[in-house]
Amino acid sequence: MTASLLRVAGLTKRFGGLVAVDQASFDVAPGEIVSVIGPNGAGKTTLFNLICRLYSADAGSVDFDGKNLLAYRADQLAGIGISRTFQNLALFEHGTVVENMLVGMHSRLKSGVLAGAFYWGPCQNEEIEARKEVERIIEFLEIEEIRSQPVSMLSYGLRKRVELGRALGTQPRLLMLDEMVSGMNQEETEDIARFILDLRDEFGIAVLMIEHDMNVVMDISDKVYVLNFGVPIASGTPAEVSSNPAVIDAYLGKSAA
Amino acid sequence: MRTRTFKQTYGELTRLLPYSSSWTWYVALLAALIALPLVGPTYVSTFVLLILSAAVGAIGLNIVTGSAGLISLGHAGFLAIGAYTTAILTTDYGFDLIPTLVIAGLVSAASSLLVGIPSLRLKGLYLAITTLAFSIIVTQLIVEAEWLTGGSIGKAVTRTTVFGYPVRSTISIYYIALGVLVLTIFGALNLLRSRVGRAWMAIRDYDTAARMMGINLVQYKLFAFAVSAFLTGVAGGLSALYVRYINIDGFTLIVSVEAVAMILVGGLGSVRGAILGAIIITILPDVSRWLMNTMFRSVFVLPAANSQEIKGIIYAVMIILFLRYEPDGLAARWAVIKRFWSEWPLGKARG
């Protein structure tokens, strides 16, 4: 087995008396696609927010590439190779598609206030390089025709795609996708699934995703991790998980099993 | 109808102006402003001088409020700090004007950290109140520090020298202000189109997502306050130079409101908007006074002493009208009109 890129062990989060995530433990290897599934309120997004340091954990550990992630601030994660999208759209509404993606490149650029104000050599070169890079992401996501539109004018599916592009701007090694395909039609869903596979195959990016669309989960995941009421109940390959009685219970209730 | 120019390099995509022909118009405008004091009457250039320094301050406020989304009602405080720093350095220590203006900006930027640090946890109305309190504290400190600032009596401002040449006339101040404004415009536009400006926009639109993209909220909010306060401090220094006698009555709440009105009327987050807003809000009290005096003399009897109250009413009405009918400000209207004429006769009036 290869060394894991992300290792979550015994991760726990309590909100008052509610244990939102209880002893979650799993691994993501480099270049692996791992899905986190579970009924609504199972603590999937809380788990994401814990890994992203938006919430602080009550117990447990998160290691990324040998680093203790709990010692990092949320704004430092982009710099070490973790990026994410959000369940509800979190684009910068007043910017264009290109501007949104350039924000994604923030941690890879250097110019500060003075360099920016004078826009001298290094700053200008950096901007041109960034623009070039954004163009590559635009081409990858096949959104050339909307590149200079304000994101507020785009359809839901396209906005999700821009958000994916913005996350790619950080050049992540681990990409966390929170319900990427919810609210998308069949065609848009298939496009996104194809992008996720391409990201893994072409760039070796590991993907950790929360997903409700079981077709996507079963088709593209290498591993599936199931949460119910904050408690991990199963993990394994899609085939193992879908035949696991505990998972069937959680989704369909006791009588169905 | 102007055709779209085809871009051939990535460098062309990052240019300040998409068409090089646009530079012609801006150079012509600059030439006109340079020629104005030579050909026009003095009162016109004095009036334009007011607009020039107001525009520097409005661009400053628009960085923190328009671009970074941090509402400030305390910019009169930064203006006061800049003005008093200028007065002290020139009158008491005989500093040259250029270093004086830079120091005025730096002192103001340093003081902005005092209000910037609470701003890290406060948003919206709470931040507005905090910044308002800051400006009141500043004026109070100025009154108390009589040995330095002349207290409630005020302080005369000596027009010293620029690079060793003595400054004698308002016209000289006009050219200094014009130079400062040109530098401010370039600096602000460059910031807003590069990494720092995009980080401000990201914080304003979605701060959690901004953090995940690697933006340190603390650092960039403080940057926004510092850059904004620097420009406002310089504007304060310029205003001290043409007023020649400053006193805390010139830095009351109405000044902060005036600045907010400028960026709301002009367009939040836009440099062009800040300038348009500065023009409108600066000439508005005079235009309306003239209108009332000539057209409605029989209806309104408005003694000059009431001008402060009238200003307040006019700003309030302007803000309400713009928020209702043109929330994106004159900058957005400008873009619509420009598109209409560049596509004429094929375009629509709105689109």
Side-chain angles (χ1 to χ4, degrees), chain A residues 106-221:
Chain A
H106 181 88
S107 58
R108 293 167 53 208
L109 305 177
K110 288 186 190 65
S111 63
V113 172
L114 271 184
F118 291 103
Y119 209 76
W120 52 44
C123 175
Q124 188 174 3
N125 295 337
E126 180 180 276
E127 286 295 321
I128 293 171
E129 279 306 312
R131 190 67 181 71
K132 216 182 268 183
E133 171 86 27
V134 161
E135 213 56 41
R136 278 199 283 272
I137 299 172
I138 286 175
E139 199 177 332
F140 175 78
L141 294 174
E142 298 160 14
I143 48 177
E144 289 92 341
E145 63 279 10
I146 57 160
R147 62 160 81 79
S148 47
Q149 283 190 29
V151 292
S152 52
M153 289 173 63
L154 301 177
S155 70
Y156 182 80
L158 283 176
R159 287 187 194 206
K160 279 280 193 185
R161 215 183 275 198
V162 174
E163 210 186 336
L164 178 62
R166 185 181 67 182
L168 289 178
T170 66
Q171 248 178 24
R173 283 186 293 159
L174 174 69
L175 184 60
M176 299 168 65
L177 306 175
D178 195 346
E179 294 198 24
M180 231 6 230
V181 305
S182 66
M184 287 190 178
N185 64 30
Q186 187 62 26
E187 196 187 338
E188 287 169 332
T189 304
E190 282 167 12
D191 281 341
I192 294 288
R194 183 165 51 84
F195 291 139
I196 294 173
L197 288 172
D198 282 352
L199 283 174
R200 194 260 309 266
D201 297 340
E202 286 179 33
F203 308 108
I205 298 175
V207 178
L208 177 65
M209 59 182 193
I210 294 174
E211 199 46 74
H212 277 302
D213 187 318
M214 284 304 138
N215 292 329
V216 173
V217 171
M218 295 304 157
D219 283 353
I220 69 172
S221 312

Side-chain angles (χ1 to χ4, degrees), chain A residues 52-54 73-75 77-78 82-84 86 88-95 99 102-104 106-107 109-113 116-119 123 126-128 131-132 135 166-167 170, chain B residues 9-15 183 186-196 198-220 223 227 328:
Chain A
C52 290
R53 306 289 300 122
L54 295 175
R73 289 193 316 268
D75 55 79
L77 298 188
I82 299 179
S83 193
R84 74 172 282 184
F86 290 82
N88 303 312
L89 284 164
L91 287 170
F92 309 124
E93 287 290 317
H94 293 83
E99 280 165 353
L102 284 169
V103 174
H106 181 88
S107 58
L109 305 177
K110 288 186 190 65
S111 63
V113 172
F118 291 103
Y119 209 76
C123 175
E126 180 180 276
E127 286 295 321
I128 293 171
R131 190 67 181 71
K132 216 182 268 183
E135 213 56 41
R166 185 181 67 182
T170 66
Chain B
T9 66
Y10 289 104
E12 286 173 38
L13 287 172
T14 61
R15 296 245 169 94
L183 286 177
F186 275 108
L189 286 176
N190 284 338
L191 270 178
L192 294 179
R193 68 172 162 150
S194 61
R195 178 171 177 264
V196 177
R198 286 193 300 266
W200 288 335
M201 175 197 82
I203 291 172
R204 176 194 63 196
D205 283 358
Y206 213 117
D207 54 358
T208 310
R211 280 172 81 193
M212 292 318 303
M213 294 303 120
I215 294 162
N216 184 333
L217 298 189
V218 173
Q219 191 185 357
Y220 280 87
F223 276 168
V227 172
D328 293 329

Side-chain angles (χ1 to χ4, degrees), chain B residues 165-190:
Chain B
Y165 296 100
V167 176
R168 292 206 182 80
S169 63
T170 308
I171 302 303
S172 320
I173 308 290
Y174 174 96
Y175 285 117
I176 293 167
L178 184 59
V180 169
L181 179 60
V182 170
L183 286 177
T184 303
I185 292 171
F186 275 108
L189 286 176
N190 284 338

